[in-house]
Amino acid sequence: MTSKITWAQLRDVNCAELEGAADGWGRASNLADAGRDRIDKQLLNELRGTQQGEAADAAVGRLRQLSQNFQYVYTECGLLRTTLNSMAHEIRGQQRALQEALDDAEALKFTVHPDGSVTYPEAGEGLIDDKPMPGGTATGGGVPGLLPPSGLVAPNPNVAKAQDIADRVVKALRTAADIDWRYTRILRKLKAEEGLKVPDSTWTDAATDAAAVRNAAGAYLNEAIPHNASPAERKAWWAGLTQEQREEYLAVYPDQIGNLDGIPAVVRDAANRDNLQLLIGKLEGQEGDKAETQLAGLREIDRQLHDGRKPPMFLLGIGDEGNGRAIVSYGNPDTARNVSAYVPGLNTSLDEEFTKADLKRARDTAMGTLNHAPSSAAIVWLGYDAPQTPDGLRSLAVMGDERAERGGSAFNGFMSGLVATNDNENPHLTAIGHSYGSRTVGAATQQGGGIPGVDDIVLVGSPGVGVDHAEDLGVGKDHVFVGAAEHDIVTMLPSKQQTAFGAVGLVAAGPVASYVVGDLADQGDDDLWFGKDPASEAFGARRFPVDDGPRLVNGEGISIDAHSQYFDPRKDTSSANSIALIAAGHSQRVKVERYR
């Protein structure tokens, strides 16, 4: 079609042909996806398991490149399919509007001309001689639905009717021409570079392509995504879609489907792997420290997703909003009987440190849990903006409650999604909070009836959780477990009241001063920054033994490593094994240490 189309051309557009072409691109997309899946899940695993050396490494590199090429083909072909289907959907809407106008003209015995003008017959009575008023031709261009003119101006009653029909015809033609123009621009952009490689610049273009298709197809797909529904309702929505509809959503909205609580884990993983590449392409085209930092984190996640590690990784969330989002599960949380979700704390963001340290903590927990229960999965949940300080623990002023409250609400939504999608009748769920993450877990327990489905809570390296008693966390005090290293300064921080009393200057001076003030001010007192010390007798949780950790001040200088080794089976065997036992549903086997 062109901008000067006739109503006959619009009427005769065969939208089924557009949809047939879309189906063809869909089949190409699915074939590429199947090829990528075979490389990632079969060929690479077999090669890594049977071959070693430089030749094997080179073969792995080539297979990974081929997998990325297939992924690009899958993405672009999927965008083409949705573009054509969306175009057909919109054109059909204008065909219906046109046909209704033509039907009305036929019923009135009006003539609709190729240019959209409408000829109407004589009718009515003249004001002077009572003769019928002559017919005429109405030209479209006004606004349909206006009140008809008065009899004094145009006594022929057919005038208003003809004008309305003409306006409706012209509106349908103009809208169809606009649809044609918009989608033509998109289709012209959906072209791949020549060659067998898919460089980062191509993924940058792919991210732009996806955004363009999303904007064009908003009415076709996006409005139906149940953003405001419960996780259970979202699960039912996804289950009710046809396979073709699911494929289109995954192709055009991987960012939304991949981060929607209530969507099955395997679907979220597939969507987020695609969105990961689009995010890498998007950030490649940006400048600034934030883009550079997040890009490094995304690349490391991508590397780990393809390195064949066990248990298998599931990417349940990814995004660049705020300080970045990343949710990674080791093991399938939908099929596992035991699922733990670990919330990291202060200074955590989507960067290389997160992808190497925090992902390792979740994987260590998964490996330890599998030693006690074969049906297990462990998750690291960076689904909120943890407080950031430029110099580690230099300033405590950032450690307010607001981010914990917002994070707690998001964490509850995620856990509700796990409950909705888990295949087991009564799965065992564990929430683990480290550092400020323990405050976030504490906030989650105080919202909407507690954390959905959670049976046990583990708090390590905690500056307090916002409540003063373990029984206030909603799972029973015997199901709240605490690990606090002797030399972990975060578990020794003075309360806000104490710092306000006279330690503010020392706290701002740095972690050493904070530790000293806390040690002096907290004698005989068990209050921390966010309330009662979870390791105290007054709090009433079950404290498990942990390694003391390196001293704050030692022969090598200042170290806060005691705050970060709770999950490491080599550096703190007792703590890591206790966390694994709890996550595996064997908390009765956890040894108890005396309170502070």
Side-chain angles (χ1 to χ4, degrees):
M1 294 187 298
T2 67
S3 59
K4 294 184 178 180
I5 62 175
T6 67
W7 62 261
Q9 288 175 311
L10 173 59
R11 180 196 62 191
D12 295 338
V13 170
N14 190 344
C15 290
E17 288 185 354
L18 290 173
E19 292 168 334
D23 291 341
W25 287 110
R27 287 190 292 272
S29 179
N30 292 339
L31 287 172
D33 190 41
R36 176 189 60 174
D37 196 59
R38 186 183 177 205
I39 290 173
D40 291 347
K41 296 182 179 179
Q42 181 180 346
L43 298 181
L44 281 172
N45 289 338
E46 290 179 357
L47 183 59
R48 291 190 181 104
T50 59
Q51 304 292 324
Q52 292 182 345
E54 292 184 5
D57 291 342
V60 166
R62 288 193 294 271
L63 282 174
R64 284 199 60 188
Q65 179 63 61
L66 183 58
S67 173
Q68 285 192 337
N69 292 355
F70 275 135
Q71 184 167 9
Y72 176 73
V73 172
Y74 162 77
T75 298
E76 291 291 294
C77 289
L79 292 176
L80 279 163
R81 170 178 54 189
T82 300
T83 299
L84 293 171
N85 275 334
S86 181
M87 183 178 182
H89 172 78
E90 291 193 42
I91 290 296
R92 271 208 177 93
Q94 299 313 309
Q95 285 180 320
R96 285 194 296 270
L98 171 66
Q99 192 58 54
E100 288 174 359
L102 295 177
D103 290 343
D104 288 346
E106 182 179 8
L108 293 168
K109 300 187 184 305
F110 292 176
T111 300
V112 182
H113 301 286
D115 63 356
S117 59
V118 178
T119 297
Y120 54 91
E122 62 180 18
E125 295 180 352
L127 296 178
I128 298 176
D129 55 10
D130 295 332
K131 292 182 179 180
M133 298 303 298
T137 300
T139 302
V143 180
L146 290 178
L147 291 174
S150 69
L152 292 174
V153 177
N156 187 337
N158 288 331
V159 173
K161 299 175 184 177
Q163 186 63 57
D164 176 65
I165 292 172
D167 288 341
R168 287 154 61 193
V169 170
V170 169
K171 181 182 179 182
L173 293 178
R174 288 176 177 173
T175 304
D178 176 69
I179 293 168
D180 180 53
W181 178 78
R182 283 190 290 112
Y183 283 100
T184 297
R185 290 183 64 200
I186 293 172
L187 290 170
R188 285 174 178 165
K189 290 181 63 178
L190 293 174
K191 295 189 297 185
E193 295 182 11
E194 294 184 4
L196 296 176
K197 283 193 172 184
V198 180
D200 291 334
S201 59
T202 301
W203 278 112
T204 300
D205 290 339
T208 303
D209 292 342
V213 175
R214 280 195 294 269
N215 289 335
Y220 173 57
L221 291 175
N222 186 42
E223 294 177 359
I225 298 177
H227 295 288
N228 297 322
S230 69
E233 290 169 335
R234 293 169 182 166
K235 179 186 177 184
W237 168 76
W238 184 261
L241 297 177
T242 66
Q243 185 60 30
E244 181 180 351
Q245 288 172 323
R246 294 175 186 172
E247 290 167 359
E248 288 200 74
Y249 277 112
L250 288 173
V252 182
Y253 295 104
D255 56 329
Q256 296 187 38
I257 300 302
N259 291 286
L260 200 62
D261 298 324
I263 300 298
V266 292
V267 177
R268 292 181 70 164
D269 177 63
N272 284 316
R273 287 178 186 245
D274 293 331
N275 190 41
L276 176 63
Q277 298 302 323
L278 295 175
L279 283 173
I280 289 174
K282 172 185 173 182
L283 294 178
E284 273 286 343
Q286 297 181 4
E287 297 180 354
D289 292 341
K290 177 183 176 181
E292 183 178 345
T293 297
Q294 292 189 348
L295 187 58
L298 293 172
R299 289 193 183 283
E300 177 59 20
I301 290 176
D302 185 49
R303 186 194 69 78
Q304 292 186 30
L305 285 170
H306 291 90
D307 71 0
R309 63 181 53 198
K310 301 294 183 180
M313 292 174 65
F314 289 79
L315 190 57
L316 303 181
I318 198 73
D320 63 343
E321 60 267 35
N323 295 323
R325 302 286 186 269
I327 307 171
V328 176
S329 178
Y330 291 91
N332 188 337
D334 287 352
T335 59
R337 172 72 179 80
N338 302 283
V339 183
S340 64
Y342 146 59
V343 183
L346 190 67
N347 284 322
T348 308
S349 63
L350 179 57
D351 55 16
E352 275 193 290
E353 176 66 20
F354 168 80
T355 59
K356 293 179 178 178
D358 291 283
L359 262 63
K360 181 181 181 300
R361 290 170 186 166
R363 185 168 183 266
D364 284 342
T365 299
M367 298 298 289
T369 306
L370 287 169
N371 288 332
H372 304 293
S375 179
S376 299
I379 298 167
V380 54
W381 183 84
L382 181 58
Y384 78 122
D385 282 329
Q388 305 290 306
T389 64
D391 299 308
L393 297 175
R394 188 165 183 79
S395 171
L396 300 179
V398 299
M399 290 180 60
D401 297 292
E402 183 179 355
R403 297 197 179 198
E405 296 293 337
R406 291 203 303 264
S409 177
F411 185 63
N412 278 349
F414 174 74
M415 297 302 289
S416 181
L418 289 185
V419 173
T421 59
N422 192 279
D423 296 336
N424 296 277
E425 183 176 350
N426 186 28
H428 172 254
L429 304 184
T430 303
I432 304 173
H434 174 240
S435 187
Y436 188 86
S438 67
R439 176 66 185 92
T440 303
V441 169
T445 67
Q446 304 304 298
Q447 300 176 8
I451 308 175
V454 164
D455 303 286
D456 293 299
I457 293 176
V458 178
L459 311 168
V460 290
S462 176
V465 296
V467 299
D468 290 334
H469 304 285
E471 61 190 22
D472 295 333
L473 296 178
V475 294
K477 65 179 183 178
D478 290 338
H479 291 274
V480 180
F481 301 84
V482 176
E486 184 66 24
H487 300 141
D488 181 354
I489 64 169
V490 175
T491 68
M492 302 283 188
L493 295 176
S495 69
K496 297 176 184 178
Q497 290 77 15
Q498 290 165 338
T499 57
F501 182 71
V504 175
L506 289 173
V507 169
V512 176
S514 297
Y515 181 67
V516 172
V517 170
D519 191 40
L520 293 177
D522 206 29
Q523 291 182 359
D525 194 343
D526 51 15
D527 291 319
L528 296 182
W529 189 261
F530 289 117
K532 197 68 66 179
D533 180 0
S536 68
E537 183 175 4
F539 190 80
R542 295 172 64 183
R543 185 185 182 193
F544 54 83
V546 303
D547 187 84
D548 288 347
R551 291 182 177 275
L552 177 66
V553 182
N554 53 53
E556 297 180 357
I558 297 176
S559 169
I560 58 172
D561 288 349
H563 183 59
S564 60
Q565 61 186 38
Y566 294 98
F567 300 86
D568 195 317
R570 290 182 298 175
K571 295 181 178 180
D572 197 338
T573 303
S574 179
S575 176
N577 189 53
S578 294
I579 294 173
L581 281 170
I582 297 164
H586 297 302
S587 60
Q588 71 280 4
R589 293 166 53 187
V590 174
K591 296 180 181 179
V592 178
E593 186 177 57
R594 63 182 177 83
Y595 295 113
R596 282 181 171 171

